[in-house]
Amino acid sequence: MRILAVETSAGPASCAVVEDGKVIASSYNNTAQTHSQTLMPMVEEMLKQAGLTVSDMDRLAVSAGPGSFTGVRIGVAAVKGMAFAENKPCVGVSTLAAIARNARGIGFEGVVCAAMDARCRQVYTACFLAQNGEISRLSADEAISTDELKACLVSYDKPILLFGDGALLCYREFCGEIDRLLLAPEHLRYQTAVGVAHEARECEAVTAEMLQPLYLRLPQAERELKARQQLQG
């Protein structure tokens, strides 16, 4: 199966083509430009260098959230557009599950905790079990406080490896209170399109029309509006 994947859930953007688990091509961008400026030119150049087109793909994949609301919308819209144009099936995967895929192949056995900084001492997070070279889910994607995450991690009796852009924050806060807490190497810590493609192999594809973002909470503007409405009675 040949998969074109994009990842735009945080500051960096990336794209990749993965075929039957093998990375055929990939590209990564971490500039100050917005994803709306960089994503499609990056995809087009990567495909050109690989001698491929969207029509050569079996499915398209995107990290559909959680993450930056704007970034997720851009990634989902890009994949929907490409899928509509070529009538290709597509997959929206959990950003956290895609991050956890980075733990495959490094020999770690234990709990993989994917944590993304959601600001205000909150994280988007989910836990997975790494065992015998496979990754399986232990908990659902959640938006919770760092204190709630710490209480969850304390309950595990296995080594815990932290991934994601919230991993360092959590490691610094928890390392004196949770035994066997580890921080993933920086080059493996963050979400990438390669992880999205690997996760997409295990997920059910949908039509472009059905592809939707996977938000865990309302955007900040909507949260502020809701709070004002509650205060006004």
Short mmCIF file of all heavy atoms in Angstrom, two decimals, residues 145-216:
data_model
loop_
_atom_site.label_atom_id
_atom_site.label_comp_id
_atom_site.label_asym_id
_atom_site.label_seq_id
_atom_site.Cartn_x
_atom_site.Cartn_y
_atom_site.Cartn_z
N SER A 145 -5.30 18.31 32.42
CA SER A 145 -4.25 19.09 33.07
C SER A 145 -3.01 18.22 33.27
O SER A 145 -3.09 16.99 33.26
CB SER A 145 -4.73 19.60 34.43
OG SER A 145 -4.89 18.52 35.34
N THR A 146 -1.88 18.86 33.46
CA THR A 146 -0.65 18.10 33.72
C THR A 146 -0.76 17.33 35.03
O THR A 146 -0.20 16.24 35.16
CB THR A 146 0.58 19.02 33.75
OG1 THR A 146 0.36 20.10 34.68
CG2 THR A 146 0.85 19.59 32.36
N ASP A 147 -1.49 17.87 36.00
CA ASP A 147 -1.68 17.15 37.26
C ASP A 147 -2.47 15.86 37.03
O ASP A 147 -2.16 14.81 37.62
CB ASP A 147 -2.43 18.03 38.27
CG ASP A 147 -1.55 19.13 38.85
OD1 ASP A 147 -0.31 19.00 38.78
OD2 ASP A 147 -2.10 20.12 39.37
N GLU A 148 -3.49 15.92 36.17
CA GLU A 148 -4.27 14.72 35.85
C GLU A 148 -3.42 13.70 35.11
O GLU A 148 -3.53 12.49 35.35
CB GLU A 148 -5.50 15.10 35.03
CG GLU A 148 -6.55 15.86 35.79
CD GLU A 148 -7.67 16.36 34.90
OE1 GLU A 148 -7.38 17.06 33.91
OE2 GLU A 148 -8.85 16.06 35.19
N LEU A 149 -2.55 14.17 34.22
CA LEU A 149 -1.68 13.25 33.52
C LEU A 149 -0.71 12.59 34.48
O LEU A 149 -0.46 11.38 34.39
CB LEU A 149 -0.91 13.98 32.41
CG LEU A 149 0.11 13.12 31.65
CD1 LEU A 149 -0.55 11.91 31.02
CD2 LEU A 149 0.84 13.96 30.60
N LYS A 150 -0.16 13.35 35.40
CA LYS A 150 0.77 12.78 36.38
C LYS A 150 0.08 11.68 37.18
O LYS A 150 0.66 10.61 37.40
CB LYS A 150 1.29 13.87 37.31
CG LYS A 150 2.26 13.34 38.37
CD LYS A 150 2.93 14.49 39.12
CE LYS A 150 1.94 15.28 39.94
NZ LYS A 150 2.61 16.33 40.76
N ALA A 151 -1.15 11.92 37.62
CA ALA A 151 -1.89 10.91 38.39
C ALA A 151 -2.10 9.65 37.56
O ALA A 151 -2.05 8.53 38.09
CB ALA A 151 -3.22 11.48 38.84
N CYS A 152 -2.31 9.81 36.26
CA CYS A 152 -2.49 8.66 35.38
C CYS A 152 -1.19 7.87 35.24
O CYS A 152 -1.17 6.64 35.34
CB CYS A 152 -2.98 9.13 34.02
SG CYS A 152 -3.08 7.84 32.76
N LEU A 153 -0.09 8.58 35.02
CA LEU A 153 1.19 7.90 34.79
C LEU A 153 1.70 7.19 36.04
O LEU A 153 2.36 6.14 35.93
CB LEU A 153 2.24 8.91 34.31
CG LEU A 153 1.96 9.57 32.95
CD1 LEU A 153 3.09 10.52 32.58
CD2 LEU A 153 1.76 8.52 31.86
N VAL A 154 1.39 7.72 37.20
CA VAL A 154 1.82 7.08 38.45
C VAL A 154 1.25 5.66 38.57
O VAL A 154 1.86 4.78 39.19
CB VAL A 154 1.39 7.94 39.66
CG1 VAL A 154 1.49 7.15 40.96
CG2 VAL A 154 2.25 9.19 39.75
N SER A 155 0.10 5.42 37.96
CA SER A 155 -0.57 4.12 38.09
C SER A 155 0.12 3.02 37.29
O SER A 155 -0.14 1.84 37.51
CB SER A 155 -2.03 4.23 37.65
OG SER A 155 -2.13 4.47 36.26
N TYR A 156 0.99 3.37 36.34
CA TYR A 156 1.65 2.36 35.51
C TYR A 156 2.88 1.80 36.23
O TYR A 156 3.63 2.55 36.86
CB TYR A 156 2.06 2.94 34.16
CG TYR A 156 0.90 3.29 33.27
CD1 TYR A 156 0.67 4.62 32.89
CD2 TYR A 156 0.02 2.32 32.81
CE1 TYR A 156 -0.40 4.95 32.05
CE2 TYR A 156 -1.05 2.65 31.98
CZ TYR A 156 -1.25 3.95 31.62
OH TYR A 156 -2.31 4.27 30.81
N ASP A 157 3.07 0.48 36.12
CA ASP A 157 4.21 -0.16 36.78
C ASP A 157 5.30 -0.53 35.77
O ASP A 157 6.10 -1.43 36.02
CB ASP A 157 3.76 -1.41 37.54
CG ASP A 157 3.12 -2.45 36.63
OD1 ASP A 157 2.95 -2.17 35.42
OD2 ASP A 157 2.79 -3.55 37.13
N LYS A 158 5.33 0.18 34.64
CA LYS A 158 6.33 -0.07 33.61
C LYS A 158 7.10 1.21 33.34
O LYS A 158 6.66 2.30 33.70
CB LYS A 158 5.65 -0.54 32.31
CG LYS A 158 4.84 -1.82 32.44
CD LYS A 158 4.16 -2.16 31.12
CE LYS A 158 3.28 -3.40 31.22
NZ LYS A 158 4.09 -4.60 31.50
N PRO A 159 8.25 1.12 32.68
CA PRO A 159 8.94 2.33 32.24
C PRO A 159 8.04 3.17 31.34
O PRO A 159 7.24 2.63 30.58
CB PRO A 159 10.15 1.78 31.46
CG PRO A 159 10.35 0.39 31.98
CD PRO A 159 8.99 -0.12 32.33
N ILE A 160 8.17 4.47 31.45
CA ILE A 160 7.33 5.40 30.68
C ILE A 160 8.23 6.27 29.82
O ILE A 160 9.15 6.93 30.34
CB ILE A 160 6.47 6.27 31.60
CG1 ILE A 160 5.55 5.40 32.46
CG2 ILE A 160 5.65 7.27 30.79
CD1 ILE A 160 4.89 6.14 33.61
N LEU A 161 7.96 6.30 28.53
CA LEU A 161 8.75 7.11 27.59
C LEU A 161 7.86 8.22 27.04
O LEU A 161 6.82 7.95 26.44
CB LEU A 161 9.28 6.22 26.46
CG LEU A 161 10.24 6.85 25.46
CD1 LEU A 161 11.47 7.41 26.15
CD2 LEU A 161 10.64 5.81 24.40
N LEU A 162 8.28 9.47 27.23
CA LEU A 162 7.49 10.63 26.84
C LEU A 162 7.86 11.10 25.43
O LEU A 162 9.04 11.27 25.10
CB LEU A 162 7.73 11.78 27.82
CG LEU A 162 7.24 11.58 29.26
CD1 LEU A 162 7.79 12.67 30.15
CD2 LEU A 162 5.71 11.58 29.32
N PHE A 163 6.84 11.33 24.61
CA PHE A 163 7.00 11.85 23.26
C PHE A 163 6.13 13.10 23.11
O PHE A 163 5.21 13.32 23.89
CB PHE A 163 6.53 10.83 22.22
CG PHE A 163 7.48 9.69 21.98
CD1 PHE A 163 7.47 8.58 22.82
CD2 PHE A 163 8.36 9.71 20.92
CE1 PHE A 163 8.33 7.52 22.60
CE2 PHE A 163 9.23 8.66 20.69
CZ PHE A 163 9.22 7.56 21.53
N GLY A 164 6.38 13.88 22.06
CA GLY A 164 5.54 15.03 21.73
C GLY A 164 6.14 16.35 22.17
O GLY A 164 7.11 16.40 22.93
N ASP A 165 5.54 17.46 21.70
CA ASP A 165 6.10 18.77 22.04
C ASP A 165 5.80 19.18 23.48
O ASP A 165 6.31 20.20 23.95
CB ASP A 165 5.62 19.84 21.05
CG ASP A 165 4.11 20.02 21.02
OD1 ASP A 165 3.44 19.69 22.01
OD2 ASP A 165 3.59 20.49 20.00
N GLY A 166 5.01 18.38 24.18
CA GLY A 166 4.79 18.60 25.61
C GLY A 166 5.61 17.66 26.48
O GLY A 166 5.50 17.70 27.71
N ALA A 167 6.44 16.83 25.85
CA ALA A 167 7.19 15.82 26.60
C ALA A 167 8.20 16.44 27.56
O ALA A 167 8.30 16.02 28.73
CB ALA A 167 7.89 14.87 25.63
N LEU A 168 8.95 17.42 27.11
CA LEU A 168 9.96 18.04 27.97
C LEU A 168 9.31 18.74 29.15
O LEU A 168 9.78 18.63 30.29
CB LEU A 168 10.80 19.02 27.16
CG LEU A 168 11.94 19.72 27.92
CD1 LEU A 168 12.92 18.70 28.50
CD2 LEU A 168 12.67 20.69 26.99
N LEU A 169 8.21 19.45 28.90
CA LEU A 169 7.45 20.10 29.97
C LEU A 169 7.04 19.08 31.03
O LEU A 169 7.22 19.30 32.23
CB LEU A 169 6.23 20.78 29.38
CG LEU A 169 5.16 21.30 30.36
CD1 LEU A 169 5.67 22.52 31.09
CD2 LEU A 169 3.87 21.65 29.61
N CYS A 170 6.48 17.96 30.59
CA CYS A 170 6.02 16.93 31.53
C CYS A 170 7.19 16.27 32.23
O CYS A 170 7.12 15.98 33.44
CB CYS A 170 5.18 15.89 30.79
SG CYS A 170 3.61 16.52 30.15
N TYR A 171 8.27 16.03 31.51
CA TYR A 171 9.43 15.38 32.12
C TYR A 171 9.98 16.25 33.26
O TYR A 171 10.28 15.74 34.35
CB TYR A 171 10.50 15.14 31.06
CG TYR A 171 11.73 14.44 31.61
CD1 TYR A 171 11.72 13.07 31.84
CD2 TYR A 171 12.89 15.16 31.89
CE1 TYR A 171 12.84 12.43 32.35
CE2 TYR A 171 14.01 14.52 32.40
CZ TYR A 171 13.97 13.16 32.62
OH TYR A 171 15.09 12.53 33.13
N ARG A 172 10.10 17.53 33.00
CA ARG A 172 10.63 18.43 34.04
C ARG A 172 9.71 18.49 35.25
O ARG A 172 10.17 18.60 36.38
CB ARG A 172 10.82 19.82 33.45
CG ARG A 172 12.00 19.92 32.50
CD ARG A 172 12.04 21.27 31.80
NE ARG A 172 13.27 21.44 31.03
CZ ARG A 172 13.48 22.41 30.14
NH1 ARG A 172 12.52 23.30 29.92
NH2 ARG A 172 14.61 22.48 29.48
N GLU A 173 8.42 18.39 35.02
CA GLU A 173 7.46 18.48 36.13
C GLU A 173 7.32 17.18 36.89
O GLU A 173 7.10 17.18 38.10
CB GLU A 173 6.10 18.92 35.59
CG GLU A 173 5.07 19.17 36.67
CD GLU A 173 3.81 19.84 36.15
OE1 GLU A 173 3.88 20.50 35.09
OE2 GLU A 173 2.76 19.70 36.80
N PHE A 174 7.47 16.03 36.21
CA PHE A 174 7.17 14.73 36.81
C PHE A 174 8.41 13.94 37.25
O PHE A 174 8.27 12.98 38.00
CB PHE A 174 6.41 13.84 35.83
CG PHE A 174 5.15 14.42 35.27
CD1 PHE A 174 4.60 13.92 34.10
CD2 PHE A 174 4.48 15.47 35.90
CE1 PHE A 174 3.44 14.43 33.56
CE2 PHE A 174 3.31 16.01 35.36
CZ PHE A 174 2.79 15.48 34.19
N CYS A 175 9.60 14.29 36.74
CA CYS A 175 10.73 13.37 36.88
C CYS A 175 11.11 13.06 38.32
O CYS A 175 11.64 11.98 38.59
CB CYS A 175 11.95 13.89 36.11
SG CYS A 175 12.63 15.43 36.73
N GLY A 176 10.84 13.95 39.24
CA GLY A 176 11.17 13.66 40.63
C GLY A 176 10.11 12.85 41.36
O GLY A 176 10.33 12.41 42.49
N GLU A 177 8.97 12.63 40.72
CA GLU A 177 7.84 11.98 41.38
C GLU A 177 7.41 10.67 40.74
O GLU A 177 6.62 9.93 41.33
CB GLU A 177 6.64 12.94 41.41
CG GLU A 177 6.96 14.27 42.10
CD GLU A 177 5.78 15.23 42.07
OE1 GLU A 177 4.70 14.84 42.52
OE2 GLU A 177 5.95 16.35 41.58
N ILE A 178 7.88 10.39 39.53
CA ILE A 178 7.51 9.15 38.84
C ILE A 178 8.78 8.37 38.51
O ILE A 178 9.67 8.88 37.83
CB ILE A 178 6.73 9.44 37.54
CG1 ILE A 178 5.44 10.21 37.86
CG2 ILE A 178 6.39 8.15 36.81
CD1 ILE A 178 4.65 10.61 36.62
N ASP A 179 8.86 7.16 39.02
CA ASP A 179 10.02 6.31 38.75
C ASP A 179 10.03 5.86 37.30
O ASP A 179 8.98 5.73 36.66
CB ASP A 179 9.99 5.08 39.66
CG ASP A 179 10.17 5.44 41.13
OD1 ASP A 179 10.78 6.49 41.41
OD2 ASP A 179 9.66 4.69 41.98
N ARG A 180 11.20 5.63 36.77
CA ARG A 180 11.40 5.08 35.43
C ARG A 180 10.73 5.94 34.34
O ARG A 180 10.18 5.43 33.38
CB ARG A 180 10.90 3.63 35.35
CG ARG A 180 11.71 2.68 36.23
CD ARG A 180 11.26 1.25 36.07
NE ARG A 180 9.93 1.04 36.60
CZ ARG A 180 9.28 -0.12 36.54
NH1 ARG A 180 9.84 -1.16 35.95
NH2 ARG A 180 8.07 -0.26 37.06
N LEU A 181 10.78 7.25 34.55
CA LEU A 181 10.26 8.18 33.55
C LEU A 181 11.39 8.58 32.62
O LEU A 181 12.46 9.02 33.07
CB LEU A 181 9.68 9.41 34.24
CG LEU A 181 8.97 10.43 33.33
CD1 LEU A 181 7.69 9.84 32.76
CD2 LEU A 181 8.66 11.71 34.12
N LEU A 182 11.17 8.44 31.32
CA LEU A 182 12.21 8.69 30.33
C LEU A 182 11.72 9.69 29.30
O LEU A 182 10.51 9.80 29.04
CB LEU A 182 12.60 7.39 29.62
CG LEU A 182 13.04 6.22 30.52
CD1 LEU A 182 13.10 4.92 29.72
CD2 LEU A 182 14.38 6.54 31.16
N LEU A 183 12.66 10.41 28.69
CA LEU A 183 12.34 11.39 27.66
C LEU A 183 12.88 10.88 26.33
O LEU A 183 14.05 10.53 26.21
CB LEU A 183 12.99 12.73 28.00
CG LEU A 183 12.71 13.92 27.09
CD1 LEU A 183 11.23 14.29 27.12
CD2 LEU A 183 13.56 15.12 27.52
N ALA A 184 12.01 10.80 25.33
CA ALA A 184 12.42 10.31 24.01
C ALA A 184 13.49 11.23 23.42
O ALA A 184 13.49 12.44 23.66
CB ALA A 184 11.23 10.25 23.07
N PRO A 185 14.43 10.67 22.65
CA PRO A 185 15.44 11.50 21.99
C PRO A 185 14.77 12.56 21.13
O PRO A 185 13.71 12.32 20.54
CB PRO A 185 16.22 10.50 21.13
CG PRO A 185 15.95 9.17 21.73
CD PRO A 185 14.58 9.25 22.33
N GLU A 186 15.36 13.73 21.05
CA GLU A 186 14.71 14.85 20.37
C GLU A 186 14.40 14.55 18.91
O GLU A 186 13.35 14.95 18.40
CB GLU A 186 15.58 16.11 20.46
CG GLU A 186 14.87 17.34 19.93
CD GLU A 186 15.58 18.62 20.30
OE1 GLU A 186 16.66 18.56 20.89
OE2 GLU A 186 15.03 19.69 19.98
N HIS A 187 15.26 13.81 18.22
CA HIS A 187 15.03 13.55 16.80
C HIS A 187 13.87 12.58 16.56
O HIS A 187 13.40 12.44 15.43
CB HIS A 187 16.30 13.03 16.13
CG HIS A 187 16.70 11.65 16.52
ND1 HIS A 187 17.28 11.37 17.75
CD2 HIS A 187 16.60 10.46 15.88
CE1 HIS A 187 17.52 10.07 17.82
NE2 HIS A 187 17.12 9.49 16.72
N LEU A 188 13.39 11.91 17.63
CA LEU A 188 12.25 11.00 17.51
C LEU A 188 11.02 11.51 18.25
O LEU A 188 9.97 10.87 18.23
CB LEU A 188 12.61 9.62 18.09
CG LEU A 188 13.69 8.82 17.37
CD1 LEU A 188 13.99 7.55 18.15
CD2 LEU A 188 13.27 8.50 15.95
N ARG A 189 11.14 12.67 18.89
CA ARG A 189 10.13 13.08 19.86
C ARG A 189 8.86 13.63 19.24
O ARG A 189 7.78 13.51 19.83
CB ARG A 189 10.74 14.14 20.79
CG ARG A 189 9.95 14.39 22.07
CD ARG A 189 10.68 15.40 22.94
NE ARG A 189 12.03 14.98 23.25
CZ ARG A 189 12.98 15.78 23.71
NH1 ARG A 189 12.74 17.07 23.87
NH2 ARG A 189 14.18 15.30 23.98
N TYR A 190 8.95 14.21 18.06
CA TYR A 190 7.83 15.00 17.55
C TYR A 190 7.07 14.31 16.43
O TYR A 190 7.54 13.37 15.81
CB TYR A 190 8.35 16.36 17.08
CG TYR A 190 9.15 17.06 18.15
CD1 TYR A 190 10.53 17.17 18.06
CD2 TYR A 190 8.52 17.57 19.29
CE1 TYR A 190 11.27 17.79 19.06
CE2 TYR A 190 9.24 18.18 20.29
CZ TYR A 190 10.63 18.29 20.17
OH TYR A 190 11.35 18.88 21.17
N GLN A 191 5.87 14.84 16.16
CA GLN A 191 5.03 14.28 15.11
C GLN A 191 5.63 14.52 13.73
O GLN A 191 6.18 15.59 13.47
CB GLN A 191 3.60 14.85 15.18
CG GLN A 191 3.50 16.37 15.21
CD GLN A 191 3.47 16.92 16.60
OE1 GLN A 191 4.36 16.68 17.39
NE2 GLN A 191 2.43 17.69 16.91
N THR A 192 5.52 13.51 12.87
CA THR A 192 5.98 13.63 11.49
C THR A 192 4.99 12.92 10.57
O THR A 192 4.20 12.07 11.01
CB THR A 192 7.37 12.99 11.27
OG1 THR A 192 7.26 11.57 11.41
CG2 THR A 192 8.40 13.54 12.26
N ALA A 193 5.07 13.26 9.29
CA ALA A 193 4.19 12.62 8.31
C ALA A 193 4.48 11.13 8.18
O ALA A 193 3.58 10.35 7.84
CB ALA A 193 4.34 13.31 6.95
N VAL A 194 5.71 10.72 8.46
CA VAL A 194 6.03 9.28 8.40
C VAL A 194 5.21 8.53 9.44
O VAL A 194 4.64 7.47 9.16
CB VAL A 194 7.54 9.05 8.61
CG1 VAL A 194 7.84 7.56 8.76
CG2 VAL A 194 8.35 9.63 7.45
N GLY A 195 5.13 9.06 10.65
CA GLY A 195 4.29 8.44 11.68
C GLY A 195 2.83 8.42 11.30
O GLY A 195 2.11 7.45 11.57
N VAL A 196 2.37 9.49 10.63
CA VAL A 196 0.99 9.55 10.16
C VAL A 196 0.72 8.41 9.16
O VAL A 196 -0.29 7.72 9.23
CB VAL A 196 0.69 10.92 9.51
CG1 VAL A 196 -0.68 10.91 8.82
CG2 VAL A 196 0.75 12.03 10.55
N ALA A 197 1.67 8.22 8.23
CA ALA A 197 1.50 7.16 7.24
C ALA A 197 1.47 5.78 7.88
O ALA A 197 0.65 4.93 7.51
CB ALA A 197 2.63 7.24 6.21
N HIS A 198 2.36 5.54 8.85
CA HIS A 198 2.38 4.24 9.52
C HIS A 198 1.07 3.99 10.26
O HIS A 198 0.53 2.87 10.24
CB HIS A 198 3.56 4.16 10.49
CG HIS A 198 4.89 4.04 9.83
ND1 HIS A 198 5.12 3.22 8.76
CD2 HIS A 198 6.09 4.63 10.11
CE1 HIS A 198 6.39 3.30 8.39
NE2 HIS A 198 6.99 4.15 9.20
N GLU A 199 0.55 5.01 10.92
CA GLU A 199 -0.72 4.86 11.63
C GLU A 199 -1.86 4.65 10.65
O GLU A 199 -2.79 3.87 10.91
CB GLU A 199 -0.98 6.10 12.50
CG GLU A 199 -2.29 6.07 13.26
CD GLU A 199 -2.39 4.97 14.32
OE1 GLU A 199 -1.35 4.37 14.67
OE2 GLU A 199 -3.52 4.71 14.78
N ALA A 200 -1.81 5.31 9.50
CA ALA A 200 -2.89 5.22 8.52
C ALA A 200 -3.02 3.82 7.93
O ALA A 200 -4.10 3.45 7.47
CB ALA A 200 -2.66 6.24 7.40
N ARG A 201 -1.94 3.05 7.94
CA ARG A 201 -2.02 1.67 7.44
C ARG A 201 -2.97 0.83 8.28
O ARG A 201 -3.55 -0.15 7.80
CB ARG A 201 -0.64 1.01 7.46
CG ARG A 201 0.37 1.57 6.49
CD ARG A 201 1.68 0.82 6.60
NE ARG A 201 1.55 -0.57 6.18
CZ ARG A 201 2.43 -1.52 6.48
NH1 ARG A 201 3.50 -1.23 7.21
NH2 ARG A 201 2.26 -2.75 6.05
N GLU A 202 -3.13 1.21 9.56
CA GLU A 202 -3.94 0.43 10.50
C GLU A 202 -5.36 0.95 10.63
O GLU A 202 -6.15 0.40 11.40
CB GLU A 202 -3.27 0.44 11.89
CG GLU A 202 -1.79 0.11 11.89
CD GLU A 202 -1.52 -1.30 11.40
OE1 GLU A 202 -2.37 -2.19 11.65
OE2 GLU A 202 -0.46 -1.51 10.77
N CYS A 203 -5.70 2.01 9.91
CA CYS A 203 -7.00 2.66 10.07
C CYS A 203 -7.89 2.46 8.85
O CYS A 203 -7.40 2.20 7.75
CB CYS A 203 -6.81 4.16 10.31
SG CYS A 203 -5.86 4.56 11.79
N GLU A 204 -9.17 2.60 9.07
CA GLU A 204 -10.13 2.47 7.98
C GLU A 204 -10.19 3.75 7.16
O GLU A 204 -10.26 4.86 7.71
CB GLU A 204 -11.51 2.15 8.54
CG GLU A 204 -12.57 1.91 7.48
CD GLU A 204 -13.90 1.53 8.08
OE1 GLU A 204 -13.97 1.29 9.30
OE2 GLU A 204 -14.89 1.48 7.32
N ALA A 205 -10.15 3.63 5.85
CA ALA A 205 -10.20 4.79 4.97
C ALA A 205 -11.65 5.26 4.79
O ALA A 205 -12.59 4.48 4.93
CB ALA A 205 -9.58 4.46 3.62
N VAL A 206 -11.78 6.55 4.49
CA VAL A 206 -13.09 7.14 4.22
C VAL A 206 -13.00 7.95 2.93
O VAL A 206 -11.93 8.13 2.37
CB VAL A 206 -13.55 8.04 5.39
CG1 VAL A 206 -13.70 7.25 6.67
CG2 VAL A 206 -12.58 9.22 5.57
N THR A 207 -14.12 8.45 2.49
CA THR A 207 -14.12 9.34 1.33
C THR A 207 -13.65 10.73 1.75
O THR A 207 -13.66 11.08 2.94
CB THR A 207 -15.51 9.45 0.73
OG1 THR A 207 -16.39 10.07 1.70
CG2 THR A 207 -16.07 8.08 0.34
N ALA A 208 -13.26 11.54 0.79
CA ALA A 208 -12.84 12.90 1.08
C ALA A 208 -13.96 13.68 1.76
O ALA A 208 -13.72 14.49 2.67
CB ALA A 208 -12.41 13.60 -0.20
N GLU A 209 -15.17 13.45 1.36
CA GLU A 209 -16.32 14.14 1.94
C GLU A 209 -16.46 13.83 3.43
O GLU A 209 -16.87 14.69 4.22
CB GLU A 209 -17.59 13.75 1.19
CG GLU A 209 -18.83 14.52 1.64
CD GLU A 209 -20.05 14.13 0.82
OE1 GLU A 209 -20.09 13.01 0.30
OE2 GLU A 209 -20.96 14.97 0.72
N MET A 210 -16.11 12.61 3.83
CA MET A 210 -16.28 12.20 5.23
C MET A 210 -15.12 12.61 6.12
O MET A 210 -15.24 12.58 7.35
CB MET A 210 -16.45 10.67 5.29
CG MET A 210 -17.72 10.16 4.64
SD MET A 210 -17.77 8.35 4.58
CE MET A 210 -17.78 7.96 6.34
N LEU A 211 -14.00 12.98 5.55
CA LEU A 211 -12.82 13.33 6.34
C LEU A 211 -13.08 14.60 7.15
O LEU A 211 -13.47 15.62 6.60
CB LEU A 211 -11.61 13.53 5.43
CG LEU A 211 -10.28 13.87 6.11
CD1 LEU A 211 -9.81 12.70 6.97
CD2 LEU A 211 -9.23 14.23 5.07
N GLN A 212 -12.85 14.54 8.47
CA GLN A 212 -13.10 15.67 9.35
C GLN A 212 -11.99 15.82 10.39
O GLN A 212 -11.34 14.84 10.75
CB GLN A 212 -14.44 15.49 10.09
CG GLN A 212 -15.66 15.43 9.19
CD GLN A 212 -15.93 16.74 8.49
OE1 GLN A 212 -15.61 17.81 9.01
NE2 GLN A 212 -16.54 16.66 7.32
N PRO A 213 -11.76 17.05 10.88
CA PRO A 213 -10.81 17.24 11.97
C PRO A 213 -11.29 16.54 13.24
O PRO A 213 -12.50 16.33 13.42
CB PRO A 213 -10.78 18.76 12.17
CG PRO A 213 -11.35 19.33 10.91
CD PRO A 213 -12.34 18.32 10.41
N LEU A 214 -10.35 16.21 14.12
CA LEU A 214 -10.67 15.54 15.38
C LEU A 214 -10.26 16.46 16.54
O LEU A 214 -9.18 16.33 17.10
CB LEU A 214 -9.92 14.20 15.48
CG LEU A 214 -10.11 13.22 14.32
CD1 LEU A 214 -9.17 12.04 14.44
CD2 LEU A 214 -11.56 12.75 14.29
N TYR A 215 -11.12 17.42 16.87
CA TYR A 215 -10.81 18.35 17.95
C TYR A 215 -11.22 17.77 19.29
O TYR A 215 -12.27 17.15 19.42
CB TYR A 215 -11.55 19.68 17.74
CG TYR A 215 -11.17 20.41 16.46
CD1 TYR A 215 -12.15 20.97 15.66
CD2 TYR A 215 -9.84 20.53 16.07
CE1 TYR A 215 -11.82 21.66 14.50
CE2 TYR A 215 -9.49 21.21 14.91
CZ TYR A 215 -10.49 21.77 14.12
OH TYR A 215 -10.17 22.44 12.98
N LEU A 216 -10.40 18.04 20.31
CA LEU A 216 -10.74 17.60 21.66
C LEU A 216 -11.37 18.70 22.50
O LEU A 216 -11.90 18.45 23.57
CB LEU A 216 -9.48 17.08 22.38
CG LEU A 216 -8.88 15.78 21.84
CD1 LEU A 216 -7.69 15.36 22.70
CD2 LEU A 216 -9.92 14.66 21.80
#
